[in-house]
Amino acid sequence: MSIAESTAESTADAKPVAARRAAIVQLDDKLINQIAAGEVIERPASLLKELLENSVDAGATRIRVHAERGGLKRIAVQDDGAGIPEAETRLALSRHATSKLRRFDDLFNVDTLGFRGEALPSIAAVSRLSLTSRTADSASAFQVTCDGGAVGAPRPVAHPPGTTVEAIDLFYNTPARRKFLRTEKTELKHLDDVVRRVALSRFDLDIHFVHDGREVFHALAARTAAERERRIAGICGAPFAGQSVYFEDETDIMTLRGWMGLPTFSRSQRDLQYFFVNERAVRDHLIAHAVRRAYHDVLYHGRHPAFALFFHIQPNLVDVNVHPAKSEVRFRDSRAVHDYIYRTLHRAIAALTPGESAVELPTPAAVAAARAPGAGQGGYGSGAAQRNIRMLVAEQMDNYRALHPSADADAGATQPGANGEEAPPMGYALAQLKGIYILAENADGLIMVDMHAAHERITYETLKRQATEQSAGSQPLVVPLSILVSAAEAEAAEQFHDVFNDLGFEIDRLGGEQLAVRAVPELLVKADIEMLVRDVLSDLLEHGSSERITNAEHEILSSIACHGSIRANRKLTHAEMNALLRQMEQVERSAQCNHGRPTWMSVSLPEIDKWFMRGR
Ligand code: ADP
Ligand code: MG
């Protein structure tokens, strides 16, 4: 029922109810804090997130988390950070008290995770809280406790430099809130997610998480490339670490780096998607859109990419004060951020061609960044990518264990490059297997290519290139199509008139809220033009750009490519096979077919040796 309906009804037949009213009173502080806590502390995991953020802000290098019964019974976070002097311990627990903000302008230059001065009082309002802290120059630690609103006086206790905050019996005094919680197991899962996200955000932190006396997670500080790979595997799982590539890119005001899951490692859920803006984990629909668009062309429908991406931007270009739990941000120039993320990822995905480094983006800035001291750390770039692709291969090779390549005796003799020169990345064809796969040999070992999938990708990329090189053909409609739109959409259509024209559309504004489509791109004559134009307009209004037309064309090209590609069971000559291998080395995104399946696999000689238990 909408609000309008409900008020209409209540005024119609419930007059006396409206007459009954309670007097306005000023709420007491305790209730105010409990209400405010609802925004920040939704469940044990949100409490933990706030405590971890405080530890990070205090410059901690080691953090210990202890939780009991999904965090409902107890959450304690101990750090070795700067601590709080005795005189400020009580203040830390009062609302709107913070050391991170002084004046309004600071809000637009936040370099800490917290700044609202709300977390500790909110936690104190819904649990039994104790705060124990010692600064480096103090001989003793001091502890304050807060039970049901009243904060006691600080008393000296033993504690190493740093801070421990402990919250016991969460929501004991707000039973209504407690009813919304799930099982302990679910809450533990959320706690674990929070710890992992913080571990991802700062590779220099040592974080240890114990639940009900058992270690759940321990991330060691990672400084070298190998340590970082291990940490990523520990946080996101070994399959992700093995099937992702690391990349970095930078501009004057923004940098983007991180691990992108290979398109073949897609997920049915968005459960492996991490995005950090200036070390803050955020969910942002603008960023999600940019990432989705970048992967658009290489993923199965309904599948989701996996990634851990770290975006940095000057703090004054992002507003972090838009959400009570600070999990959303607003960019001053959201369009520029969207475009930058989209373009960078798109380029990185396009670079995933066989034999080539998948991570070094072909821009001078990226190359320089990768080589900068501390950034690349000795071949962090291409080496990692090569290894990752090989690991993917190794894993999928299980399916091929029983493979006995039928030695094509004459193939070796006719091998190009037999006179000693190094084989190209995709190697030279040895034979065709079951009319489906090409077997080839390169410097490392054996390569297998799904010839239909590979050819399909090559044809598709070629068609796409042709489509962009030749200006789009346009076909006039015999009867112009009239579409009713909103005034804002009609204005967008006018404003982006040239963009539509370049794509082969001819669209005029007829009146305030009416458009006439007079011509459409040749490829899209059979498409649902009205829906396409509407979707494009809403994209333009929201993001200032739209890929829909190109995507619709790509879908058609993709189906042409699929039907026009070599079918299984066609006998190919060695020359044809080698030509296909050479094309694969050239074409962008050739490691996946248009549907996100891999197009090729390789197995190295040492791996083959292992099958036969042959030591080298
Ligand atoms: P905020 O983080 O927004 O400032 P909080 O209520 O989370 O607000 O914390 C209040 C203040 O208490 C912080 O500004 C900080 O000075 C201090 N504080 C909280 N936790 C810690 C900690 N683990 N180590 C040192 N200081 C802390
Ligand atoms: Mg805080």
Side-chain angles (χ1 to χ4, degrees):
M1 193 198 295
S2 75
I3 292 168
E5 278 171 299
S6 72
T7 31
E9 256 176 42
S10 51
T11 42
D13 53 39
K15 263 270 153 55
V17 174
R20 222 193 298 139
R21 75 173 284 279
I24 299 173
V25 295
Q26 183 67 53
L27 299 180
D28 65 51
D29 280 353
K30 190 174 159 201
L31 185 51
I32 292 175
N33 281 344
Q34 285 176 339
I35 292 170
E39 277 199 317
V40 187
I41 310 300
E42 188 195 339
R43 60 181 352 143
S46 31
L47 187 158
L48 179 58
K49 170 177 177 285
E50 295 294 337
L51 295 184
L52 290 174
E53 288 185 351
N54 280 346
S55 296
V56 170
D57 284 345
T61 60
R62 283 185 72 217
I63 300 179
R64 297 287 169 263
V65 179
H66 285 268
E68 286 170 34
R69 308 207 10 222
L72 289 163
K73 180 75 204 127
R74 172 173 177 254
I75 293 181
V77 174
Q78 177 176 6
D79 67 49
D80 62 351
I84 307 173
E86 179 192 357
E88 292 172 29
T89 40
R90 294 188 69 187
L91 196 55
L93 298 188
S94 66
R95 184 156 297 280
H96 310 306
T98 178
S99 57
K100 303 168 192 174
L101 208 64
R102 287 290 177 268
R103 58 191 92 76
F104 180 72
D105 288 352
D106 295 346
L107 259 187
F108 300 93
N109 228 332
V110 173
D111 61 357
T112 48
L113 294 169
F115 52 86
R116 298 166 64 105
E118 281 184 326
L120 292 183
S122 295
I123 295 169
V126 293
S127 72
R128 303 182 220 274
L129 179 131
S130 80
L131 166 73
T132 312
S133 195
R134 177 173 156 196
T135 54
D137 53 10
S138 167
S140 166
F142 289 87
Q143 183 174 68
V144 285
T145 55
C146 177
D147 194 339
V151 184
R155 52 187 194 90
V157 292
H159 187 280
T163 304
T164 297
V165 178
E166 181 180 55
I168 290 181
D169 292 338
L170 183 57
F171 300 133
Y172 77 100
N173 53 355
T174 50
R177 170 66 65 173
R178 200 168 176 124
K179 284 206 193 87
F180 282 95
L181 295 178
R182 301 298 179 77
T183 61
E184 285 175 24
K185 213 172 125 212
T186 308
E187 297 305 330
L188 169 61
K189 169 90 182 61
H190 287 289
L191 292 177
D192 191 46
D193 280 348
V194 166
V195 176
R196 280 166 202 269
R197 227 173 290 139
V198 173
L200 259 186
S201 75
R202 291 281 301 268
F203 276 46
D204 53 342
L205 282 179
D206 181 313
I207 300 192
H208 194 204
F209 176 30
V210 172
H211 181 260
D212 284 345
R214 259 194 313 232
E215 174 177 298
V216 181
F217 176 75
H218 188 187
L220 296 167
R223 290 193 180 80
T224 66
E227 286 168 354
R228 279 184 290 201
E229 286 283 324
R230 220 170 300 134
R231 186 161 170 131
I232 270 286
I235 299 171
C236 301
F240 174 75
Q243 300 182 46
S244 60
V245 290
Y246 180 84
F247 74 97
E248 20 189 84
D249 185 72
E250 72 176 352
T251 71
D252 294 345
I253 52 166
M254 301 181 267
T255 67
L256 183 64
R257 58 185 187 83
W259 284 263
M260 306 176 62
L262 294 177
T264 43
F265 182 69
S266 63
R267 319 267 300 169
S268 62
Q269 310 275 330
R270 293 191 186 92
D271 57 348
L272 247 176
Q273 304 193 338
Y274 296 100
F275 201 98
F276 299 87
V277 174
N278 295 350
E279 265 130 39
R280 184 190 302 279
V282 297
R283 278 175 237 288
D284 184 282
H285 107 143
L286 174 99
I287 292 166
H289 181 266
V291 177
R292 210 167 44 237
R293 244 175 75 181
Y295 271 96
H296 168 86
D297 216 14
V298 288
L299 276 190
Y300 260 129
H301 264 304
R303 302 288 296 176
H304 304 284
F307 53 82
L309 297 171
F310 305 88
F311 177 68
H312 284 91
I313 187 167
Q314 290 169 10
N316 61 342
L317 298 178
V318 53
D319 182 0
V320 291
N321 185 30
V322 293
H323 188 267
K326 300 157 287 165
S327 55
E328 286 170 24
V329 292
R330 199 180 294 133
F331 297 105
R332 196 184 287 176
D333 187 349
S334 57
R335 210 170 272 178
V337 169
H338 178 277
D339 281 2
Y340 171 67
I341 292 170
Y342 164 69
R343 270 186 290 106
T344 309
L345 294 182
H346 190 70
R347 212 150 25 93
I349 292 170
L352 295 172
T353 51
E356 225 180 278
S357 145
V359 288
E360 243 176 73
L361 301 186
T363 65
V367 175
R371 294 206 182 116
Q377 302 253 1
Y380 197 37
S382 63
Q386 297 288 342
R387 195 171 57 251
N388 286 336
I389 288 175
R390 285 220 191 91
M391 279 165 77
L392 161 74
V393 167
E395 227 168 64
Q396 309 225 4
M397 269 315 294
D398 284 346
N399 307 334
Y400 295 92
R401 294 273 150 168
L403 182 77
H404 301 290
S406 54
D408 195 348
D410 67 335
T414 58
Q415 205 56 267
N419 46 0
E421 70 194 67
E422 169 108 347
M426 293 297 287
Y428 294 116
L430 295 172
Q432 205 178 355
L433 181 70
K434 301 280 183 205
I436 301 173
Y437 302 106
I438 296 171
L439 304 182
E441 175 183 353
N442 72 358
D444 291 337
L446 181 68
I447 302 245
M448 275 154 291
V449 174
D450 177 333
M451 64 187 207
H452 172 70
H455 193 233
E456 182 180 332
R457 172 51 80 177
I458 290 167
T459 314
Y460 175 47
E461 290 297 331
T462 313
L463 287 174
K464 276 202 308 197
R465 213 179 37 240
Q466 284 168 355
T468 36
E469 276 164 11
Q470 305 151 5
S471 57
S474 179
Q475 175 147 334
L477 297 177
V478 185
V479 184
L481 176 71
S482 123
I483 305 181
L484 292 177
V485 294
S486 71
E489 287 170 333
E491 264 151 42
E494 259 184 342
Q495 188 195 339
F496 291 95
H497 185 262
D498 293 348
V499 177
F500 277 111
N501 253 11
D502 289 347
L503 291 163
F505 277 100
E506 203 185 307
I507 301 181
D508 293 329
R509 185 173 180 175
L510 285 190
E513 299 177 351
Q514 196 178 5
L515 300 176
V517 182
R518 301 190 192 282
V520 299
E522 268 167 4
L523 268 175
L524 298 179
V525 174
K526 293 216 174 76
D528 183 342
I529 297 297
E530 175 163 352
M531 193 164 83
L532 192 61
V533 170
R534 277 183 196 291
D535 289 349
V536 170
L537 286 173
S538 79
D539 282 354
L540 289 175
L541 284 175
E542 194 167 350
H543 307 294
S545 64
S546 175
E547 293 280 295
R548 275 184 211 272
I549 296 170
T550 330
N551 287 347
E553 289 186 339
H554 284 178
E555 243 163 65
I556 290 163
L557 294 180
S558 162
S559 111
I560 296 173
C562 181
H563 296 298
S565 300
I566 326 169
R567 290 274 148 204
N569 288 320
R570 220 196 86 194
K571 192 95 188 113
L572 295 186
T573 65
H574 271 87
E576 283 176 312
M577 290 192 273
N578 282 324
L580 190 67
L581 295 173
R582 297 296 77 76
Q583 275 179 305
M584 288 181 74
E585 287 156 4
Q586 304 303 321
V587 167
E588 290 189 334
R589 304 177 196 84
S590 65
Q592 295 84 35
C593 83
N594 308 345
H595 310 296
R597 289 194 309 262
T599 56
W600 66 285
M601 293 282 151
S602 80
V603 52
S604 71
L605 216 48
E607 281 167 288
I608 299 178
D609 287 341
K610 239 191 265 161
W611 300 346
F612 297 100
M613 300 178 183
R614 176 191 277 269
R616 280 190 163 239

Short mmCIF file of all heavy atoms in Angstrom, two decimals, residues 50-51 53-54 57 100 113-120 326, ligand 2:
data_model
loop_
_atom_site.label_atom_id
_atom_site.label_comp_id
_atom_site.label_asym_id
_atom_site.label_seq_id
_atom_site.Cartn_x
_atom_site.Cartn_y
_atom_site.Cartn_z
N GLU A 50 33.58 -1.22 12.96
CA GLU A 50 33.93 0.06 13.57
C GLU A 50 35.18 -0.06 14.44
O GLU A 50 36.06 0.81 14.41
CB GLU A 50 32.76 0.59 14.41
CG GLU A 50 31.52 0.94 13.59
CD GLU A 50 31.72 2.12 12.65
OE1 GLU A 50 32.64 2.94 12.90
OE2 GLU A 50 30.98 2.22 11.66
N LEU A 51 35.26 -1.15 15.21
CA LEU A 51 36.43 -1.31 16.09
C LEU A 51 37.70 -1.48 15.28
O LEU A 51 38.75 -0.91 15.60
CB LEU A 51 36.23 -2.50 17.04
CG LEU A 51 35.09 -2.37 18.05
CD1 LEU A 51 35.08 -3.56 19.00
CD2 LEU A 51 35.22 -1.06 18.85
N GLU A 53 38.25 -0.39 12.27
CA GLU A 53 38.58 0.90 11.65
C GLU A 53 39.29 1.80 12.65
O GLU A 53 40.25 2.50 12.29
CB GLU A 53 37.31 1.58 11.13
CG GLU A 53 36.75 0.88 9.91
CD GLU A 53 35.56 1.62 9.30
OE1 GLU A 53 35.06 2.58 9.91
OE2 GLU A 53 35.15 1.22 8.20
N ASN A 54 38.84 1.78 13.90
CA ASN A 54 39.52 2.60 14.91
C ASN A 54 40.96 2.15 15.10
O ASN A 54 41.86 2.97 15.25
CB ASN A 54 38.77 2.51 16.24
CG ASN A 54 37.55 3.42 16.26
OD1 ASN A 54 37.41 4.30 15.40
ND2 ASN A 54 36.67 3.21 17.22
N ASP A 57 42.97 3.32 12.16
CA ASP A 57 43.19 4.77 12.27
C ASP A 57 44.25 5.10 13.33
O ASP A 57 44.92 6.12 13.25
CB ASP A 57 41.88 5.49 12.63
CG ASP A 57 40.94 5.61 11.44
OD1 ASP A 57 41.41 5.40 10.29
OD2 ASP A 57 39.75 5.91 11.64
N LYS A 100 39.54 13.09 14.97
CA LYS A 100 39.87 13.03 13.54
C LYS A 100 39.33 14.18 12.73
O LYS A 100 39.55 14.25 11.52
CB LYS A 100 39.37 11.69 12.98
CG LYS A 100 39.97 10.52 13.73
CD LYS A 100 39.31 9.20 13.42
CE LYS A 100 39.78 8.16 14.45
NZ LYS A 100 39.09 6.88 14.32
N LEU A 113 39.58 6.37 8.45
CA LEU A 113 38.37 5.61 8.14
C LEU A 113 37.18 6.16 8.91
O LEU A 113 36.07 6.23 8.42
CB LEU A 113 38.60 4.13 8.46
CG LEU A 113 39.65 3.45 7.58
CD1 LEU A 113 40.00 2.07 8.11
CD2 LEU A 113 39.16 3.34 6.14
N GLY A 114 37.42 6.54 10.17
CA GLY A 114 36.35 7.12 10.98
C GLY A 114 36.47 8.63 10.99
O GLY A 114 37.51 9.19 10.61
N PHE A 115 35.41 9.31 11.39
CA PHE A 115 35.45 10.77 11.51
C PHE A 115 34.19 11.30 12.15
O PHE A 115 34.08 12.47 12.47
CB PHE A 115 35.65 11.45 10.14
CG PHE A 115 34.67 10.99 9.10
CD1 PHE A 115 33.42 11.58 8.99
CD2 PHE A 115 34.99 9.95 8.25
CE1 PHE A 115 32.50 11.14 8.05
CE2 PHE A 115 34.07 9.49 7.30
CZ PHE A 115 32.83 10.10 7.20
N ARG A 116 33.20 10.42 12.39
CA ARG A 116 31.91 10.90 12.86
C ARG A 116 31.78 10.90 14.38
O ARG A 116 30.82 11.44 14.92
CB ARG A 116 30.79 10.06 12.26
CG ARG A 116 30.75 10.15 10.75
CD ARG A 116 29.86 9.06 10.14
NE ARG A 116 28.48 9.20 10.53
CZ ARG A 116 27.51 9.66 9.74
NH1 ARG A 116 27.80 10.05 8.52
NH2 ARG A 116 26.28 9.74 10.16
N GLY A 117 32.72 10.27 15.07
CA GLY A 117 32.66 10.25 16.53
C GLY A 117 31.42 9.56 17.06
O GLY A 117 30.88 9.92 18.10
N GLU A 118 30.97 8.52 16.37
CA GLU A 118 29.70 7.89 16.74
C GLU A 118 29.84 6.44 17.18
O GLU A 118 28.96 5.92 17.86
CB GLU A 118 28.75 7.90 15.54
CG GLU A 118 28.07 9.20 15.30
CD GLU A 118 27.09 9.09 14.16
OE1 GLU A 118 27.35 8.33 13.20
OE2 GLU A 118 26.06 9.77 14.24
N ALA A 119 30.93 5.79 16.74
CA ALA A 119 30.98 4.34 16.91
C ALA A 119 31.00 3.92 18.38
O ALA A 119 30.16 3.14 18.82
CB ALA A 119 32.20 3.78 16.18
N LEU A 120 31.96 4.44 19.14
CA LEU A 120 32.07 3.98 20.53
C LEU A 120 30.81 4.29 21.34
O LEU A 120 30.31 3.40 22.03
CB LEU A 120 33.35 4.56 21.18
CG LEU A 120 34.66 3.99 20.60
CD1 LEU A 120 35.87 4.55 21.36
CD2 LEU A 120 34.68 2.47 20.65
N LYS A 326 29.49 4.47 6.50
CA LYS A 326 30.58 4.91 5.63
C LYS A 326 30.93 3.88 4.55
O LYS A 326 32.07 3.75 4.15
CB LYS A 326 31.83 5.24 6.46
CG LYS A 326 31.59 6.36 7.46
CD LYS A 326 32.58 6.30 8.62
CE LYS A 326 32.25 5.15 9.52
NZ LYS A 326 33.23 4.72 10.46
MG MG B 2 35.61 5.10 14.66
#
